[in-house]
Amino acid sequence: TPKGSCLESVKIAIDTGYRHIDGAFVYYNEHEVGQAIREKIAEGKVKREDIFYCGKLWNTCHPPELVRPTLEKTLKILQLDYVDLYIIELPMAFKPGDAIYPKDENGKFIYHETDLCATWEAMEACKDAGLAKSIGVSNFNRRQLEMILNKPGLKYKPVSNQVECHPYFTQPKLLEFCRQHDIVIVGYSPLGTSRDESWVNVSSPPLLKDPVLNAIGKKYNKTAAQVALRFSIQRGVVVIPKSFNPQRIRENFQIFDFSLTEKEMKEIEALNKNVRYVELLM
């Protein structure tokens, strides 16, 4: 993000009423997020305990001995004492080292053999040390979740699994499995996503142009985006829409003054195309 835009956006979001801030070391803007949170606390707008900050363990930091130092680095950048949630960003690991995206001479990613259960134990130790209030995962499928849930001597199970989730990718099976195990699904790209070819499948239809979402929006005097967000929260999916546009930041928050009927929920559920915008080709 351009310098300063993340700082301003987070301050606008907190003023609007947002309390859940989803961040990551690899977004390279945690210093601005931390500054925004600290400024709003200093203003008396919020207390630290009002804010729910999620940080993420990157792919190059899976070896157990790297987990705590990585989280400590994030806390130092944020200038906060703890994160509310710390999650393993992806189930596969890259070669540890200074390169965030390590590649060989042919431009191929260099992976690293990892034991997710050992990584998880190091995450548990971070919770015990008070550096993270809760721990979870991201982009995990059922098999990977089961590996942790069935781990001998499991101390804490993942509280959440952050995955792509929206009306074109409703994740019914994963949602059901997570419900059975009291794991909250946090849906990223809840509005579809940006059309950035470097990481997005742009051949997929843009979600917000969907006629059903727009028709329902018209009925409630809401945008297709607001309908898509409302759909997710009514299904019990936490949403983390991303925006740097002040008007949209406010619009995305205005979803608590209407609710969708059962028929509308079913109509939106029927839009599922199993379209994954963020294909995570690496």
Side-chain angles (χ1 to χ4, degrees), residues 16-282:
T16 301
Y18 289 84
R19 296 294 177 260
H20 177 181
I21 299 165
D22 180 72
F25 172 68
V26 288
Y27 299 164
Y28 297 116
N29 56 16
E30 284 192 311
H31 56 294
E32 290 192 15
V33 178
Q35 188 187 333
I37 293 171
R38 293 192 315 276
E39 283 184 21
K40 285 294 158 191
I41 291 170
E43 268 177 39
K45 178 77 188 169
V46 285
K47 299 187 182 78
R48 170 62 187 95
E49 58 269 27
D50 298 332
I51 297 289
F52 187 92
Y53 185 81
C54 170
K56 303 187 183 88
L57 180 78
W58 182 240
N59 313 3
T60 53
C61 310
H62 279 208
E65 66 279 7
L66 297 181
V67 173
R68 180 168 174 162
T70 304
L71 173 52
E72 284 171 341
K73 192 172 169 184
T74 276
L75 291 172
K76 199 175 165 191
I77 294 168
L78 288 163
Q79 292 181 43
L80 297 174
D81 297 331
Y82 66 90
V83 294
D84 298 272
L85 176 62
Y86 198 53
I87 63 179
I88 301 174
E89 190 156 355
L90 283 151
M92 85 289 174
F94 289 159
K95 181 185 139 196
D98 292 332
I100 296 286
Y101 294 100
K103 290 180 177 175
D104 63 17
E105 58 280 3
N106 303 314
K108 294 261 191 288
F109 284 107
I110 307 170
Y111 296 100
H112 184 72
E113 198 164 305
T114 185
D115 173 0
L116 279 175
C117 290
T119 306
W120 187 253
E121 284 170 9
M123 297 280 285
E124 291 178 323
C126 288
K127 176 170 156 64
D128 281 337
L131 302 177
K133 298 266 186 199
S134 293
I135 50 176
V137 296
S138 178
N139 298 301
F140 273 49
N141 62 26
R142 176 178 177 152
R143 184 177 58 83
Q144 291 150 347
L145 286 168
E146 282 176 336
M147 210 159 81
I148 306 262
L149 293 169
N150 300 330
K151 185 186 88 61
L154 179 72
K155 203 166 181 188
Y156 307 113
K157 64 181 189 181
V159 298
S160 61
N161 184 18
Q162 189 181 122
V163 293
E164 181 175 345
C165 193
H166 47 73
Y168 283 178
F169 194 55
T170 52
Q171 300 265 27
K173 287 181 180 166
L174 188 61
L175 187 57
E176 187 47 41
F177 176 79
C178 287
R179 270 194 192 128
Q180 287 165 3
H181 293 275
D182 288 325
I183 297 169
V184 175
I185 289 262
V186 177
Y188 68 73
S189 301
L191 304 174
T193 187
S194 71
R195 312 300 277 177
D196 179 344
E197 286 183 21
S198 65
W199 56 279
V200 171
N201 175 358
V202 290
S203 68
S204 310
L207 177 70
L208 299 183
K209 296 225 165 92
D210 188 89
V212 174
L213 296 178
N214 281 282
I216 293 171
K218 212 168 248 165
K219 175 185 158 185
Y220 294 105
N221 201 16
K222 295 286 177 185
T223 64
Q226 288 167 320
V227 173
L229 295 176
R230 181 73 212 178
F231 165 73
S232 286
I233 64 165
Q234 275 189 224
R235 299 173 78 216
V237 172
V238 172
V239 286
I240 43 173
K242 173 191 145 201
S243 181
F244 292 99
N245 174 319
Q247 187 195 335
R248 290 209 194 103
I249 289 172
R250 294 184 188 105
E251 265 180 18
N252 289 343
F253 198 75
Q254 289 160 356
I255 57 170
F256 302 105
D257 56 356
F258 78 111
S259 51
L260 300 165
T261 65
E262 210 169 311
K263 179 172 173 279
E264 287 161 345
M265 288 294 288
K266 287 203 162 61
E267 280 171 13
I268 299 172
E269 254 163 41
L271 298 176
N272 184 35
K273 305 177 191 309
N274 282 325
V275 158
R276 195 189 277 277
Y277 288 110
V278 185
E279 292 181 319
L280 299 170
L281 297 175
M282 74 277 211

